[in-house]
Amino acid sequence: MPAGRLGGRVGHVTFWVAIWTLALGGLLYLLLPTLIIVVASFTAGEYITFPPQGLSLRWFTRLMALAEVRVSAWRSLIVATAATAVAVVLGVAAAFPLVRGRFAGREALNAFLMSPLILPSLVYGLAALMFVSAIGLPLSVPVLVLSHVAIIVPYVIRTTAASLALLDPHLEEAARSLGANAWKTFLRVILPNLLPGIATGAAFAFISSFDNLTVSLFLAGPRVETLPIRLFAMINFDFDPAAAAISAVLVLITFAVVLLAHWAVGLTRVIRL
Amino acid sequence: MTPSPTNARPDLRLVDVSRRYGPVTAVDRVSLDVAPGEFVTLLGPSGCGKTTLLKCIAGFLPPSEGQVVLRDEVMNDVLPHLRNIGIVFQHYALFPHMTVADNVAFGLRMRKRARTAIAGRVQEMLRLVRLPGFADRYPHQLSGGQQQRVALARVLAVEPVLLLLDEPFGALDKKLRVEMQLEVKQLVALLGMTTIFVTHDQEEAMRMSDRVAIMHAGRIVQCAAPEVIYDRPCDLFVADFIGSSNLLDGRIRGTSAGRLRVEVAGVPLEVPCHASVRPAGEDVVVMVRPENLALSETWPSDRPAWAGVVSLALHTGPVMEYEVVVGETWRLRVSRPRMQVESARVWAKGDRVAVTVVDLKAVRIFHGDTAGATSVRSL
């Protein structure tokens, strides 16, 4: 075999070895801590250890018994659901002018609407708290929901805008010429074709609201504690395996939402393609 | 029957319609009457304003000036969904999340027809476009031609006043395109549908239309039956755009007995005077279609001829296409049917030939701005 060809083969092999090493190494690095905490939550012992001392569900049972955990978990679900619903409505509406509109400053508006993704959420939390107290609103669940909306709406805008940009504008013209008014065109023709994008954005939005700590810390107040805040408090005050169990539950819910979104997107794909 | 454009009530009337985008005038004072059942084509190169004009008619763009009148009703301020105009797009724009039946039913549902009536009409339309049994398919499961027919069924189901076809054959391969042209033409004629067809393909325009409106730089430069457009183009742009032509520099030598003497490439031609008489000495452009030139080995005694050498001979199937070099710079395009008896001879590159004009009545003369029409044109 000529030297050049051998060199080429060696280069080819080393390339793929490098790619796989990096990919698997990165994946392991990302997943391992989560995996450890989930495994540790099944311990039968009194402390968080790895490997766990025996296997049991006792800390999950204990979670159920803790009233404040149940309340905060329920509240987090409500806040995340409500914030996602509001974000979907606002985000889908905002995506339209951003994609179909022809006006000066469109790019600037786009950047502005994406800014919550870029700005530190700690800063946003502080700013929102000052704003809310300045206009005299008491800290409450609706206030918490609205503050979450601000940080999660960019996910919905982004994914919806991406779907809309791929949608043939002639579909709208076809619907209009067939007698559909603007509302019917939107509900019967455009919206069904945007569902995969909206579902993906909603899943991201839900998860970022559900496990948001920084903004909630500022806006939750003493009587509207969310699950991440409860977890944070438990880690601070009594670092027992119940905290690991909460983490496991959070991970589980996150996976469930992602799978749900995946299933929804897959379903609409089946209908379309 | 070719409907006359002077009928009492045109289905569509455009009155001095203009559309500007900032400083750019995309459509420039277009006026056009389309009679009931007429098939009119807007033909022009891309950027000539034909699609903008179509959008003005459909209501997706308001005209900057002028009126769009549909059956005596001014439509300028009427929203598109209230105009009852059907459109078929180049890529059909079928609703991807709906079955064929739901696509066809869409317009009827928007009109709140009874459920049973809709079902019946959908079946009827699918039979009409020869797609019965496709009701439950999704658009992506259909071929391009089938999608095209569904798009037609969807539009025709609501019985629009006017049918707009926006380059509907552009996405089809050549053989299928010709089949669909024929099919659409027959369907539209069967239903007596008034149709405006937008295309940049002149063959398609000639084949399908009652009248062709040639658009250039936002204006309709000529609107007439296809054979008139071909035989008597009104200016150099149309002459050059439609079909292939020899556009040759010539000079007026004078008139006699209703005939114009014009010298082209050193040969005097006597052409019937069909236009305004021009002064001797004026430079003009002379249009001779390639099929209006004949080649012979012997010098004709009865008519003037150019002496030339065949520089190119191409087979296209039914027709032979030649390029003949005359003198130093002149290149004439000549096309002869291969089966024609008296000129059954097929010439080869290098043959010395005499080139004559078959029919002097078909020679057209234009005012000479020769910059856009040089005598040297390669095949």
PDB file of all heavy atoms in Angstrom, chain A residues 170-171 173-181 184 188-189 192-193 272-273, chain B residues 55 60 81 85 89 93-98 107 110-112 140 154:
ATOM      1  N   HIS A 170     -47.997  30.901   0.041  1.00  0.00           N
ATOM      2  CA  HIS A 170     -49.130  30.710  -0.862  1.00  0.00           C
ATOM      3  C   HIS A 170     -50.278  29.943  -0.208  1.00  0.00           C
ATOM      4  O   HIS A 170     -51.415  30.049  -0.652  1.00  0.00           O
ATOM      5  CB  HIS A 170     -48.684  29.990  -2.136  1.00  0.00           C
ATOM      6  CG  HIS A 170     -47.911  30.874  -3.057  1.00  0.00           C
ATOM      7  ND1 HIS A 170     -46.896  30.393  -3.856  1.00  0.00           N
ATOM      8  CD2 HIS A 170     -47.979  32.191  -3.299  1.00  0.00           C
ATOM      9  CE1 HIS A 170     -46.384  31.397  -4.532  1.00  0.00           C
ATOM     10  NE2 HIS A 170     -47.018  32.495  -4.223  1.00  0.00           N
ATOM     11  N   LEU A 171     -49.975  29.177   0.869  1.00  0.00           N
ATOM     12  CA  LEU A 171     -51.061  28.487   1.574  1.00  0.00           C
ATOM     13  C   LEU A 171     -52.064  29.504   2.092  1.00  0.00           C
ATOM     14  O   LEU A 171     -53.270  29.309   2.010  1.00  0.00           O
ATOM     15  CB  LEU A 171     -50.502  27.685   2.754  1.00  0.00           C
ATOM     16  CG  LEU A 171     -49.723  26.417   2.448  1.00  0.00           C
ATOM     17  CD1 LEU A 171     -49.335  25.732   3.745  1.00  0.00           C
ATOM     18  CD2 LEU A 171     -50.553  25.485   1.595  1.00  0.00           C
ATOM     19  N   GLU A 173     -52.560  32.564   0.922  1.00  0.00           N
ATOM     20  CA  GLU A 173     -53.262  33.190  -0.200  1.00  0.00           C
ATOM     21  C   GLU A 173     -54.319  32.234  -0.758  1.00  0.00           C
ATOM     22  O   GLU A 173     -55.420  32.662  -1.122  1.00  0.00           O
ATOM     23  CB  GLU A 173     -52.261  33.600  -1.290  1.00  0.00           C
ATOM     24  CG  GLU A 173     -51.324  34.708  -0.825  1.00  0.00           C
ATOM     25  CD  GLU A 173     -50.405  35.198  -1.926  1.00  0.00           C
ATOM     26  OE1 GLU A 173     -50.319  34.533  -2.981  1.00  0.00           O
ATOM     27  OE2 GLU A 173     -49.777  36.255  -1.735  1.00  0.00           O
ATOM     28  N   ALA A 174     -53.968  30.941  -0.815  1.00  0.00           N
ATOM     29  CA  ALA A 174     -54.936  29.957  -1.315  1.00  0.00           C
ATOM     30  C   ALA A 174     -56.169  29.942  -0.408  1.00  0.00           C
ATOM     31  O   ALA A 174     -57.300  29.977  -0.897  1.00  0.00           O
ATOM     32  CB  ALA A 174     -54.297  28.574  -1.376  1.00  0.00           C
ATOM     33  N   ALA A 175     -55.945  29.926   0.903  1.00  0.00           N
ATOM     34  CA  ALA A 175     -57.075  29.892   1.837  1.00  0.00           C
ATOM     35  C   ALA A 175     -57.924  31.156   1.708  1.00  0.00           C
ATOM     36  O   ALA A 175     -59.149  31.092   1.660  1.00  0.00           O
ATOM     37  CB  ALA A 175     -56.564  29.737   3.275  1.00  0.00           C
ATOM     38  N   ARG A 176     -57.246  32.314   1.600  1.00  0.00           N
ATOM     39  CA  ARG A 176     -57.983  33.569   1.464  1.00  0.00           C
ATOM     40  C   ARG A 176     -58.834  33.564   0.204  1.00  0.00           C
ATOM     41  O   ARG A 176     -60.017  33.901   0.236  1.00  0.00           O
ATOM     42  CB  ARG A 176     -57.025  34.771   1.416  1.00  0.00           C
ATOM     43  CG  ARG A 176     -56.201  35.018   2.654  1.00  0.00           C
ATOM     44  CD  ARG A 176     -57.021  35.219   3.913  1.00  0.00           C
ATOM     45  NE  ARG A 176     -57.978  36.310   3.848  1.00  0.00           N
ATOM     46  CZ  ARG A 176     -57.683  37.599   3.987  1.00  0.00           C
ATOM     47  NH1 ARG A 176     -56.441  37.968   4.218  1.00  0.00           N
ATOM     48  NH2 ARG A 176     -58.612  38.510   3.909  1.00  0.00           N
ATOM     49  N   SER A 177     -58.231  33.140  -0.913  1.00  0.00           N
ATOM     50  CA  SER A 177     -58.976  33.191  -2.172  1.00  0.00           C
ATOM     51  C   SER A 177     -60.126  32.191  -2.173  1.00  0.00           C
ATOM     52  O   SER A 177     -61.076  32.344  -2.932  1.00  0.00           O
ATOM     53  CB  SER A 177     -58.045  32.931  -3.356  1.00  0.00           C
ATOM     54  OG  SER A 177     -57.604  31.593  -3.343  1.00  0.00           O
ATOM     55  N   LEU A 178     -60.048  31.160  -1.313  1.00  0.00           N
ATOM     56  CA  LEU A 178     -61.144  30.187  -1.251  1.00  0.00           C
ATOM     57  C   LEU A 178     -62.252  30.639  -0.302  1.00  0.00           C
ATOM     58  O   LEU A 178     -63.207  29.901  -0.072  1.00  0.00           O
ATOM     59  CB  LEU A 178     -60.607  28.817  -0.817  1.00  0.00           C
ATOM     60  CG  LEU A 178     -59.805  28.084  -1.890  1.00  0.00           C
ATOM     61  CD1 LEU A 178     -59.044  26.919  -1.294  1.00  0.00           C
ATOM     62  CD2 LEU A 178     -60.735  27.598  -2.994  1.00  0.00           C
ATOM     63  N   GLY A 179     -62.088  31.817   0.270  1.00  0.00           N
ATOM     64  CA  GLY A 179     -63.190  32.368   1.059  1.00  0.00           C
ATOM     65  C   GLY A 179     -62.970  32.379   2.557  1.00  0.00           C
ATOM     66  O   GLY A 179     -63.888  32.682   3.310  1.00  0.00           O
ATOM     67  N   ALA A 180     -61.762  32.030   3.009  1.00  0.00           N
ATOM     68  CA  ALA A 180     -61.502  32.037   4.454  1.00  0.00           C
ATOM     69  C   ALA A 180     -61.071  33.442   4.873  1.00  0.00           C
ATOM     70  O   ALA A 180     -60.181  34.021   4.254  1.00  0.00           O
ATOM     71  CB  ALA A 180     -60.413  31.027   4.794  1.00  0.00           C
ATOM     72  N   ASN A 181     -61.669  33.966   5.944  1.00  0.00           N
ATOM     73  CA  ASN A 181     -61.211  35.263   6.435  1.00  0.00           C
ATOM     74  C   ASN A 181     -59.912  35.072   7.219  1.00  0.00           C
ATOM     75  O   ASN A 181     -59.395  33.952   7.329  1.00  0.00           O
ATOM     76  CB  ASN A 181     -62.300  35.941   7.280  1.00  0.00           C
ATOM     77  CG  ASN A 181     -62.641  35.143   8.539  1.00  0.00           C
ATOM     78  OD1 ASN A 181     -61.841  34.334   9.006  1.00  0.00           O
ATOM     79  ND2 ASN A 181     -63.832  35.355   9.057  1.00  0.00           N
ATOM     80  N   LYS A 184     -60.074  32.442  10.101  1.00  0.00           N
ATOM     81  CA  LYS A 184     -60.219  31.046   9.656  1.00  0.00           C
ATOM     82  C   LYS A 184     -58.948  30.573   8.960  1.00  0.00           C
ATOM     83  O   LYS A 184     -58.552  29.420   9.100  1.00  0.00           O
ATOM     84  CB  LYS A 184     -61.429  30.914   8.731  1.00  0.00           C
ATOM     85  CG  LYS A 184     -62.710  30.905   9.524  1.00  0.00           C
ATOM     86  CD  LYS A 184     -63.887  30.432   8.688  1.00  0.00           C
ATOM     87  CE  LYS A 184     -65.112  30.283   9.561  1.00  0.00           C
ATOM     88  NZ  LYS A 184     -66.319  30.812   8.909  1.00  0.00           N
ATOM     89  N   ARG A 188     -57.520  27.309  10.625  1.00  0.00           N
ATOM     90  CA  ARG A 188     -57.710  26.072   9.861  1.00  0.00           C
ATOM     91  C   ARG A 188     -56.486  25.686   9.041  1.00  0.00           C
ATOM     92  O   ARG A 188     -56.301  24.522   8.718  1.00  0.00           O
ATOM     93  CB  ARG A 188     -58.895  26.226   8.895  1.00  0.00           C
ATOM     94  CG  ARG A 188     -60.204  26.530   9.563  1.00  0.00           C
ATOM     95  CD  ARG A 188     -60.803  25.259  10.153  1.00  0.00           C
ATOM     96  NE  ARG A 188     -62.245  25.394  10.255  1.00  0.00           N
ATOM     97  CZ  ARG A 188     -63.082  24.959   9.310  1.00  0.00           C
ATOM     98  NH1 ARG A 188     -62.598  24.365   8.237  1.00  0.00           N
ATOM     99  NH2 ARG A 188     -64.365  25.095   9.452  1.00  0.00           N
ATOM    100  N   VAL A 189     -55.678  26.676   8.651  1.00  0.00           N
ATOM    101  CA  VAL A 189     -54.589  26.372   7.706  1.00  0.00           C
ATOM    102  C   VAL A 189     -53.210  26.586   8.325  1.00  0.00           C
ATOM    103  O   VAL A 189     -52.356  25.708   8.275  1.00  0.00           O
ATOM    104  CB  VAL A 189     -54.736  27.217   6.418  1.00  0.00           C
ATOM    105  CG1 VAL A 189     -53.525  27.032   5.514  1.00  0.00           C
ATOM    106  CG2 VAL A 189     -56.009  26.817   5.689  1.00  0.00           C
ATOM    107  N   PRO A 192     -52.474  24.585  12.240  1.00  0.00           N
ATOM    108  CA  PRO A 192     -52.183  23.143  12.226  1.00  0.00           C
ATOM    109  C   PRO A 192     -50.780  22.831  11.695  1.00  0.00           C
ATOM    110  O   PRO A 192     -50.162  21.871  12.128  1.00  0.00           O
ATOM    111  CB  PRO A 192     -53.258  22.576  11.285  1.00  0.00           C
ATOM    112  CG  PRO A 192     -54.357  23.568  11.311  1.00  0.00           C
ATOM    113  CD  PRO A 192     -53.699  24.910  11.498  1.00  0.00           C
ATOM    114  N   ASN A 193     -50.295  23.672  10.787  1.00  0.00           N
ATOM    115  CA  ASN A 193     -48.979  23.416  10.222  1.00  0.00           C
ATOM    116  C   ASN A 193     -47.842  23.916  11.107  1.00  0.00           C
ATOM    117  O   ASN A 193     -46.681  23.597  10.859  1.00  0.00           O
ATOM    118  CB  ASN A 193     -48.874  24.040   8.830  1.00  0.00           C
ATOM    119  CG  ASN A 193     -49.674  23.252   7.814  1.00  0.00           C
ATOM    120  OD1 ASN A 193     -49.358  22.107   7.529  1.00  0.00           O
ATOM    121  ND2 ASN A 193     -50.731  23.853   7.297  1.00  0.00           N
ATOM    122  N   ARG A 272     -48.608  14.943   8.471  1.00  0.00           N
ATOM    123  CA  ARG A 272     -48.188  15.796   7.365  1.00  0.00           C
ATOM    124  C   ARG A 272     -47.423  15.047   6.294  1.00  0.00           C
ATOM    125  O   ARG A 272     -47.590  15.298   5.119  1.00  0.00           O
ATOM    126  CB  ARG A 272     -47.289  16.933   7.889  1.00  0.00           C
ATOM    127  CG  ARG A 272     -48.034  17.999   8.638  1.00  0.00           C
ATOM    128  CD  ARG A 272     -47.108  19.132   8.939  1.00  0.00           C
ATOM    129  NE  ARG A 272     -46.624  19.724   7.707  1.00  0.00           N
ATOM    130  CZ  ARG A 272     -45.663  20.626   7.696  1.00  0.00           C
ATOM    131  NH1 ARG A 272     -45.085  20.994   8.804  1.00  0.00           N
ATOM    132  NH2 ARG A 272     -45.269  21.153   6.558  1.00  0.00           N
ATOM    133  N   LEU A 273     -46.517  14.174   6.720  1.00  0.00           N
ATOM    134  CA  LEU A 273     -45.568  13.632   5.727  1.00  0.00           C
ATOM    135  C   LEU A 273     -45.925  12.234   5.244  1.00  0.00           C
ATOM    136  O   LEU A 273     -46.528  11.473   5.822  1.00  0.00           O
ATOM    137  CB  LEU A 273     -44.150  13.619   6.317  1.00  0.00           C
ATOM    138  CG  LEU A 273     -43.629  14.975   6.749  1.00  0.00           C
ATOM    139  CD1 LEU A 273     -42.227  14.850   7.299  1.00  0.00           C
ATOM    140  CD2 LEU A 273     -43.619  15.931   5.538  1.00  0.00           C
TER     141      LEU A 273
ATOM    142  N   LYS B  55     -51.632  39.627  -8.441  1.00  0.00           N
ATOM    143  CA  LYS B  55     -51.918  39.846  -7.018  1.00  0.00           C
ATOM    144  C   LYS B  55     -52.906  41.002  -6.830  1.00  0.00           C
ATOM    145  O   LYS B  55     -53.718  40.977  -5.909  1.00  0.00           O
ATOM    146  CB  LYS B  55     -50.623  40.128  -6.249  1.00  0.00           C
ATOM    147  CG  LYS B  55     -49.830  38.870  -5.908  1.00  0.00           C
ATOM    148  CD  LYS B  55     -48.516  39.229  -5.262  1.00  0.00           C
ATOM    149  CE  LYS B  55     -47.649  38.015  -4.990  1.00  0.00           C
ATOM    150  NZ  LYS B  55     -48.048  37.275  -3.797  1.00  0.00           N
ATOM    151  N   PHE B  60     -54.543  40.526  -3.160  1.00  0.00           N
ATOM    152  CA  PHE B  60     -53.467  40.428  -2.181  1.00  0.00           C
ATOM    153  C   PHE B  60     -52.632  41.699  -2.136  1.00  0.00           C
ATOM    154  O   PHE B  60     -51.893  41.940  -1.188  1.00  0.00           O
ATOM    155  CB  PHE B  60     -52.566  39.224  -2.482  1.00  0.00           C
ATOM    156  CG  PHE B  60     -53.316  37.933  -2.452  1.00  0.00           C
ATOM    157  CD1 PHE B  60     -53.237  37.035  -3.505  1.00  0.00           C
ATOM    158  CD2 PHE B  60     -54.128  37.610  -1.382  1.00  0.00           C
ATOM    159  CE1 PHE B  60     -53.949  35.853  -3.485  1.00  0.00           C
ATOM    160  CE2 PHE B  60     -54.843  36.428  -1.347  1.00  0.00           C
ATOM    161  CZ  PHE B  60     -54.753  35.551  -2.410  1.00  0.00           C
ATOM    162  N   HIS B  81     -60.981  37.289   0.309  1.00  0.00           N
ATOM    163  CA  HIS B  81     -61.869  36.144   0.532  1.00  0.00           C
ATOM    164  C   HIS B  81     -63.310  36.445   0.150  1.00  0.00           C
ATOM    165  O   HIS B  81     -64.148  35.549   0.159  1.00  0.00           O
ATOM    166  CB  HIS B  81     -61.769  35.656   1.986  1.00  0.00           C
ATOM    167  CG  HIS B  81     -62.292  36.628   3.003  1.00  0.00           C
ATOM    168  ND1 HIS B  81     -61.587  37.735   3.403  1.00  0.00           N
ATOM    169  CD2 HIS B  81     -63.449  36.636   3.709  1.00  0.00           C
ATOM    170  CE1 HIS B  81     -62.293  38.383   4.318  1.00  0.00           C
ATOM    171  NE2 HIS B  81     -63.416  37.748   4.521  1.00  0.00           N
ATOM    172  N   ILE B  85     -62.626  34.748  -6.465  1.00  0.00           N
ATOM    173  CA  ILE B  85     -61.645  34.511  -7.521  1.00  0.00           C
ATOM    174  C   ILE B  85     -60.835  33.284  -7.117  1.00  0.00           C
ATOM    175  O   ILE B  85     -60.384  33.197  -5.974  1.00  0.00           O
ATOM    176  CB  ILE B  85     -60.707  35.727  -7.678  1.00  0.00           C
ATOM    177  CG1 ILE B  85     -61.492  36.916  -8.239  1.00  0.00           C
ATOM    178  CG2 ILE B  85     -59.527  35.394  -8.570  1.00  0.00           C
ATOM    179  CD1 ILE B  85     -60.667  38.170  -8.361  1.00  0.00           C
ATOM    180  N   PHE B  89     -51.669  27.952  -7.874  1.00  0.00           N
ATOM    181  CA  PHE B  89     -50.293  28.428  -7.769  1.00  0.00           C
ATOM    182  C   PHE B  89     -49.328  27.424  -8.418  1.00  0.00           C
ATOM    183  O   PHE B  89     -49.663  26.261  -8.617  1.00  0.00           O
ATOM    184  CB  PHE B  89     -49.909  28.606  -6.302  1.00  0.00           C
ATOM    185  CG  PHE B  89     -50.726  29.651  -5.597  1.00  0.00           C
ATOM    186  CD1 PHE B  89     -51.846  29.309  -4.872  1.00  0.00           C
ATOM    187  CD2 PHE B  89     -50.370  30.989  -5.678  1.00  0.00           C
ATOM    188  CE1 PHE B  89     -52.594  30.266  -4.227  1.00  0.00           C
ATOM    189  CE2 PHE B  89     -51.114  31.953  -5.038  1.00  0.00           C
ATOM    190  CZ  PHE B  89     -52.232  31.595  -4.305  1.00  0.00           C
ATOM    191  N   ALA B  93     -49.949  24.818  -3.564  1.00  0.00           N
ATOM    192  CA  ALA B  93     -50.380  25.289  -2.243  1.00  0.00           C
ATOM    193  C   ALA B  93     -51.542  24.460  -1.702  1.00  0.00           C
ATOM    194  O   ALA B  93     -52.490  24.995  -1.142  1.00  0.00           O
ATOM    195  CB  ALA B  93     -50.753  26.784  -2.286  1.00  0.00           C
ATOM    196  N   LEU B  94     -51.480  23.144  -1.878  1.00  0.00           N
ATOM    197  CA  LEU B  94     -52.477  22.282  -1.228  1.00  0.00           C
ATOM    198  C   LEU B  94     -52.213  22.298   0.265  1.00  0.00           C
ATOM    199  O   LEU B  94     -51.067  22.378   0.689  1.00  0.00           O
ATOM    200  CB  LEU B  94     -52.374  20.853  -1.777  1.00  0.00           C
ATOM    201  CG  LEU B  94     -52.718  20.689  -3.253  1.00  0.00           C
ATOM    202  CD1 LEU B  94     -52.531  19.239  -3.671  1.00  0.00           C
ATOM    203  CD2 LEU B  94     -54.140  21.147  -3.536  1.00  0.00           C
ATOM    204  N   PHE B  95     -53.286  22.200   1.064  1.00  0.00           N
ATOM    205  CA  PHE B  95     -53.105  22.207   2.512  1.00  0.00           C
ATOM    206  C   PHE B  95     -52.539  20.853   2.930  1.00  0.00           C
ATOM    207  O   PHE B  95     -53.218  19.836   2.805  1.00  0.00           O
ATOM    208  CB  PHE B  95     -54.434  22.509   3.204  1.00  0.00           C
ATOM    209  CG  PHE B  95     -55.066  23.786   2.712  1.00  0.00           C
ATOM    210  CD1 PHE B  95     -56.398  23.837   2.350  1.00  0.00           C
ATOM    211  CD2 PHE B  95     -54.295  24.947   2.590  1.00  0.00           C
ATOM    212  CE1 PHE B  95     -56.967  25.013   1.880  1.00  0.00           C
ATOM    213  CE2 PHE B  95     -54.859  26.126   2.133  1.00  0.00           C
ATOM    214  CZ  PHE B  95     -56.194  26.154   1.770  1.00  0.00           C
ATOM    215  N   PRO B  96     -51.295  20.837   3.436  1.00  0.00           N
ATOM    216  CA  PRO B  96     -50.614  19.546   3.650  1.00  0.00           C
ATOM    217  C   PRO B  96     -51.235  18.701   4.755  1.00  0.00           C
ATOM    218  O   PRO B  96     -51.082  17.489   4.748  1.00  0.00           O
ATOM    219  CB  PRO B  96     -49.178  19.951   4.027  1.00  0.00           C
ATOM    220  CG  PRO B  96     -49.262  21.362   4.464  1.00  0.00           C
ATOM    221  CD  PRO B  96     -50.438  21.980   3.763  1.00  0.00           C
ATOM    222  N   HIS B  97     -51.972  19.343   5.681  1.00  0.00           N
ATOM    223  CA  HIS B  97     -52.519  18.594   6.800  1.00  0.00           C
ATOM    224  C   HIS B  97     -53.930  18.086   6.522  1.00  0.00           C
ATOM    225  O   HIS B  97     -54.558  17.526   7.395  1.00  0.00           O
ATOM    226  CB  HIS B  97     -52.527  19.470   8.055  1.00  0.00           C
ATOM    227  CG  HIS B  97     -53.326  20.734   7.892  1.00  0.00           C
ATOM    228  ND1 HIS B  97     -52.985  21.709   6.984  1.00  0.00           N
ATOM    229  CD2 HIS B  97     -54.458  21.152   8.497  1.00  0.00           C
ATOM    230  CE1 HIS B  97     -53.865  22.692   7.052  1.00  0.00           C
ATOM    231  NE2 HIS B  97     -54.770  22.380   7.953  1.00  0.00           N
ATOM    232  N   MET B  98     -54.414  18.319   5.295  1.00  0.00           N
ATOM    233  CA  MET B  98     -55.774  17.873   4.958  1.00  0.00           C
ATOM    234  C   MET B  98     -55.731  16.835   3.848  1.00  0.00           C
ATOM    235  O   MET B  98     -54.859  16.877   2.987  1.00  0.00           O
ATOM    236  CB  MET B  98     -56.610  19.061   4.459  1.00  0.00           C
ATOM    237  CG  MET B  98     -56.887  20.123   5.487  1.00  0.00           C
ATOM    238  SD  MET B  98     -57.956  21.369   4.735  1.00  0.00           S
ATOM    239  CE  MET B  98     -57.783  22.675   5.931  1.00  0.00           C
ATOM    240  N   GLY B 107     -63.201  25.390   0.384  1.00  0.00           N
ATOM    241  CA  GLY B 107     -63.922  26.588  -0.047  1.00  0.00           C
ATOM    242  C   GLY B 107     -65.415  26.478   0.202  1.00  0.00           C
ATOM    243  O   GLY B 107     -66.081  27.452   0.557  1.00  0.00           O
ATOM    244  N   MET B 110     -66.073  27.049   3.825  1.00  0.00           N
ATOM    245  CA  MET B 110     -65.996  28.470   4.143  1.00  0.00           C
ATOM    246  C   MET B 110     -67.286  29.173   3.732  1.00  0.00           C
ATOM    247  O   MET B 110     -67.650  30.200   4.281  1.00  0.00           O
ATOM    248  CB  MET B 110     -64.813  29.121   3.423  1.00  0.00           C
ATOM    249  CG  MET B 110     -63.453  28.683   3.945  1.00  0.00           C
ATOM    250  SD  MET B 110     -63.234  28.996   5.708  1.00  0.00           S
ATOM    251  CE  MET B 110     -63.029  27.356   6.342  1.00  0.00           C
ATOM    252  N   ARG B 111     -67.968  28.605   2.730  1.00  0.00           N
ATOM    253  CA  ARG B 111     -69.231  29.188   2.279  1.00  0.00           C
ATOM    254  C   ARG B 111     -70.415  28.588   3.014  1.00  0.00           C
ATOM    255  O   ARG B 111     -71.567  28.832   2.624  1.00  0.00           O
ATOM    256  CB  ARG B 111     -69.373  28.983   0.768  1.00  0.00           C
ATOM    257  CG  ARG B 111     -68.507  29.942  -0.049  1.00  0.00           C
ATOM    258  CD  ARG B 111     -68.294  29.420  -1.467  1.00  0.00           C
ATOM    259  NE  ARG B 111     -67.577  30.383  -2.286  1.00  0.00           N
ATOM    260  CZ  ARG B 111     -66.278  30.617  -2.209  1.00  0.00           C
ATOM    261  NH1 ARG B 111     -65.546  29.963  -1.311  1.00  0.00           N
ATOM    262  NH2 ARG B 111     -65.678  31.492  -2.996  1.00  0.00           N
ATOM    263  N   LYS B 112     -70.123  27.766   4.021  1.00  0.00           N
ATOM    264  CA  LYS B 112     -71.159  27.199   4.888  1.00  0.00           C
ATOM    265  C   LYS B 112     -72.232  26.433   4.110  1.00  0.00           C
ATOM    266  O   LYS B 112     -73.428  26.545   4.389  1.00  0.00           O
ATOM    267  CB  LYS B 112     -71.824  28.312   5.720  1.00  0.00           C
ATOM    268  CG  LYS B 112     -70.847  29.089   6.586  1.00  0.00           C
ATOM    269  CD  LYS B 112     -71.453  29.366   7.937  1.00  0.00           C
ATOM    270  CE  LYS B 112     -70.527  29.987   8.951  1.00  0.00           C
ATOM    271  NZ  LYS B 112     -69.176  30.306   8.593  1.00  0.00           N
ATOM    272  N   HIS B 140     -49.017  14.853  -0.046  1.00  0.00           N
ATOM    273  CA  HIS B 140     -47.664  14.337  -0.277  1.00  0.00           C
ATOM    274  C   HIS B 140     -47.671  12.950  -0.887  1.00  0.00           C
ATOM    275  O   HIS B 140     -46.644  12.460  -1.335  1.00  0.00           O
ATOM    276  CB  HIS B 140     -46.877  14.333   1.037  1.00  0.00           C
ATOM    277  CG  HIS B 140     -47.336  13.275   1.993  1.00  0.00           C
ATOM    278  ND1 HIS B 140     -48.320  13.493   2.930  1.00  0.00           N
ATOM    279  CD2 HIS B 140     -46.954  11.986   2.145  1.00  0.00           C
ATOM    280  CE1 HIS B 140     -48.518  12.369   3.617  1.00  0.00           C
ATOM    281  NE2 HIS B 140     -47.703  11.448   3.168  1.00  0.00           N
ATOM    282  N   ARG B 154     -60.139  21.961  -6.271  1.00  0.00           N
ATOM    283  CA  ARG B 154     -60.397  22.777  -5.088  1.00  0.00           C
ATOM    284  C   ARG B 154     -60.921  24.160  -5.488  1.00  0.00           C
ATOM    285  O   ARG B 154     -61.837  24.696  -4.877  1.00  0.00           O
ATOM    286  CB  ARG B 154     -59.101  22.907  -4.285  1.00  0.00           C
ATOM    287  CG  ARG B 154     -59.240  23.724  -3.026  1.00  0.00           C
ATOM    288  CD  ARG B 154     -57.975  23.710  -2.212  1.00  0.00           C
ATOM    289  NE  ARG B 154     -56.899  24.473  -2.836  1.00  0.00           N
ATOM    290  CZ  ARG B 154     -55.737  24.736  -2.243  1.00  0.00           C
ATOM    291  NH1 ARG B 154     -55.487  24.272  -1.052  1.00  0.00           N
ATOM    292  NH2 ARG B 154     -54.815  25.440  -2.870  1.00  0.00           N
TER     293      ARG B 154
END
